[in-house]
């Protein structure tokens, strides 16, 4: 009989969460490096380089890979010969571990969980509760798999119940263009097939816990239909040319994972859940001997990837811009921004637009004339940081506010990640504004360009408050120019054609 002490279990889950916030799985690092070496699209190659550099910086500095430190999922397999020495229930112990990990003063993680999800949506303040799945199995061990899933990739999940005769591969591939770049490709697609609706979704999520091994599978050949599907979907998705950050390129997915389960004869449930460039998961085993402390990987496991962005980019002074100054920026052009930059996400945008609609003045000091707004919710700073990791959030969530802000505030530019919708692009064109993207998955790298940060409006919104950042050489790419041309349209179109021309033997 194995006895698991309450404090040992809490400490182990706490350790796991802190670990995955800072360290990519090495199989992901290696797969990204292979993608970088192979990539021919300059924009996509630059984005992958930033993600790899950010990954090493986070490992060195022990700071979060992404500002969105995720909603926690914990999978427990509890041996039938395990006995608990605990006063709390298992779910309460997991949530205590989450609370400690996210409030850890040495490496605070961003609290992103809101309660009353259809109502007031108040931040719980400590990222609890986690999503917990438990089952009992034979044996005397406790198996723990911990993952932290960012909202950008989780929001791109897809589900359908197909007819038994429907083409599953075609359905999956058809979903990718509509998923856009908000899930920060390249990453891994998790696919669940069969069971019931909720079982298929769970299978898709669980499949993402497996190591990246698509190249090994290709070399040895598939052993069953699930493995055949992995290869078919991998090849067809990458042939779409979506590429890193949706900029167009050779690699959209690093791997495809498939788990299946028997289902009803009349059904074919299929779920897709993508893992983003901030892939975070770890597996632990407890045997009753005490808490588990994952060993940090050696820093020489990270490849030496040069970033050539500074030499190829135009330097821009944000404090000396107007509509005329941005009119010649072109989609795909890389910039280094310096000067003062405002921030704001969903909650701040709603408050601003509501104030404009009722004629109420904006908070003192909140002036958007000839300014840029960065869609970000940063991690709290530690030590000498001006701000913690501060990567972009998905811009499409702000689309419905864009026309109002451009028309009524004098705003001339926005910075986020992923594509903009047709209405937002039309507003950008009509108002002669621009939309820039920072690399999703390079949050710590971006934060190194932030020299100072102060809250200037809505402090009660926490990480969604409006800040003013002072930045120096912050790397961005022009995604939508003042004429409404979008790199997220032209890039994938170009690379889809180029990939189709690559001989199959060398693809």
């Amino acid at each position: 009989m194995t006895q698991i002490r309450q404090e040992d279990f809490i400490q182990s889950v706490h350790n796991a969460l802190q670990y995955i916030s800072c360290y990519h799985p090495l199989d992901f690092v290696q797969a990204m490096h292979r993608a970088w070496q192979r990539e021919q699209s300059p924009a996509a190659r630059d984005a992958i380089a930033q993600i790899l550099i950010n990954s090493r910086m986070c490992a060195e500095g022990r700071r979060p890979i992404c500002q969105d430190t995720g909603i926690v999922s914990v999978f427990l397999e509890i041996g039938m010969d395990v006995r608990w020495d605990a006063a709390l229930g298992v779910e309460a112990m997991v949530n205590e571990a989450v609370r400690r990990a996210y409030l850890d003063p040495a490496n605070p993680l961003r609290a992103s969980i809101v309660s009353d999800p259809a109502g007031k949506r108040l931040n719980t303040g400590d990222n609890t509760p986690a999503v917990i799945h438990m089952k009992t199995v034979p044996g005397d061990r406790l198996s723990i798999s911990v993952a932290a899933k960012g909202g950008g990739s989780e929001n791109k999940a897809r589900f359908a119940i197909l007819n038994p005769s429907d083409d599953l591969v075609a359905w999956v591939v058809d979903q990718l263009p509509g998923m856009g770049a908000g899930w920060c490709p390249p990453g891994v697609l998790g696919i669940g097939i069969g069971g019931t609706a909720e079982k298929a979704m769970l299978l898709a999520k669980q499949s993402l816990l497996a190591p990246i091994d698509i190249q090994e599978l290709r070399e040895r050949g598939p052993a069953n239909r699930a493995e055949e599907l992995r290869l078919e979907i991998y090849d067809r998705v990458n042939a779409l040319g979506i590429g890193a950050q949706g900029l167009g390129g050779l690699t959209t997915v690093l791997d495809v994972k498939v788990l299946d389960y028997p289902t009803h004869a009349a059904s074919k449930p299929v779920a897709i859940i993508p893992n983003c460039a901030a892939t975070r998961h770890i597996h632990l085993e407890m045997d009753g001997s005490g808490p588990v402390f994952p060993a940090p990987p050696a820093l020489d496991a990270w490849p030496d990837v040069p970033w050539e962005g500074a030499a190829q980019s135009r330097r821009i002074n944000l404090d000396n811009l107007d509509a005329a100054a941005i009119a010649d920026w072109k989609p795909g052009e890389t910039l280094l921004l310096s000067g003062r930059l405002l921030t704001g996400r969903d909650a701040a945008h709603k408050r601003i637009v509501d104030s404009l609609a009722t004629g109420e003045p904006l908070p003192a000091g909140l002036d958007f004339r000839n300014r840029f707004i960065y869609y970000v919710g940063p991690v709290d700073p530690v030590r000498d940081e001006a701000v913690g990791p501060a990567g972009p959030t998905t811009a499409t969530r702000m689309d419905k506010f864009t026309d109002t802000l451009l028309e009524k505030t004098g705003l001339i530019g926005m910075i986020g990640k992923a594509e903009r919708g047709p209405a937002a692009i039309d507003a950008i064109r009509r108002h002669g504004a621009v939309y820039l993207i920072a690399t999703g998955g390079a949050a710590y790298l971006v934060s190194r360009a932030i020299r100072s940060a102060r809250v200037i409006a809505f402090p009660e919104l926490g990480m969604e408050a409006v800040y003013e950042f002072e930045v120096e050489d912050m790397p961005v790419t022009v995604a939508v120019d003042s004429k409404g041309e979008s790199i997220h349209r032209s890039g994938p179109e170009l690379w889809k054609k180029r990939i189709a021309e690559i001989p199959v033997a060398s693809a």
Side-chain angles (χ1 to χ4, degrees), residues 431-453:
H431 295 287
V434 293
Y435 167 60
L436 316 176
I437 57 170
T439 298
Y444 196 41
L445 175 64
V446 171
S447 73
R448 298 293 80 194
I450 301 170
R451 299 293 178 251
S452 67

Side-chain angles (χ1 to χ4, degrees), residues 362-386:
L362 296 180
L366 187 55
D367 184 357
F368 289 103
R369 284 174 297 179
N370 290 328
R371 303 288 298 276
F372 274 67
I373 190 168
Y374 181 29
Y375 304 147
V376 62
V379 175
D380 289 342
V382 298
R383 300 183 290 276
D384 61 344
E385 295 176 345

Side-chain angles (χ1 to χ4, degrees), residues 302-320:
W302 272 262
D304 183 16
V305 175
W307 181 54
E308 301 167 349
Q312 301 171 350
S313 301
R314 191 199 317 195
R315 283 185 159 81
I316 300 296
N317 181 358
L318 290 166
D319 299 329
N320 189 29

Side-chain angles (χ1 to χ4, degrees), residues 262-311:
T263 192
H264 192 283
S267 302
K268 193 193 287 187
V270 186
I272 306 172
I273 301 180
N275 241 358
C276 64
T279 289
R280 292 167 293 209
H281 58 81
I282 193 171
H283 178 77
L284 307 177
E285 294 275 345
M286 295 190 70
D287 60 6
S289 61
V292 179
F293 294 86
L299 290 177
D300 61 10
W302 272 262
D304 183 16
V305 175
W307 181 54
E308 301 167 349

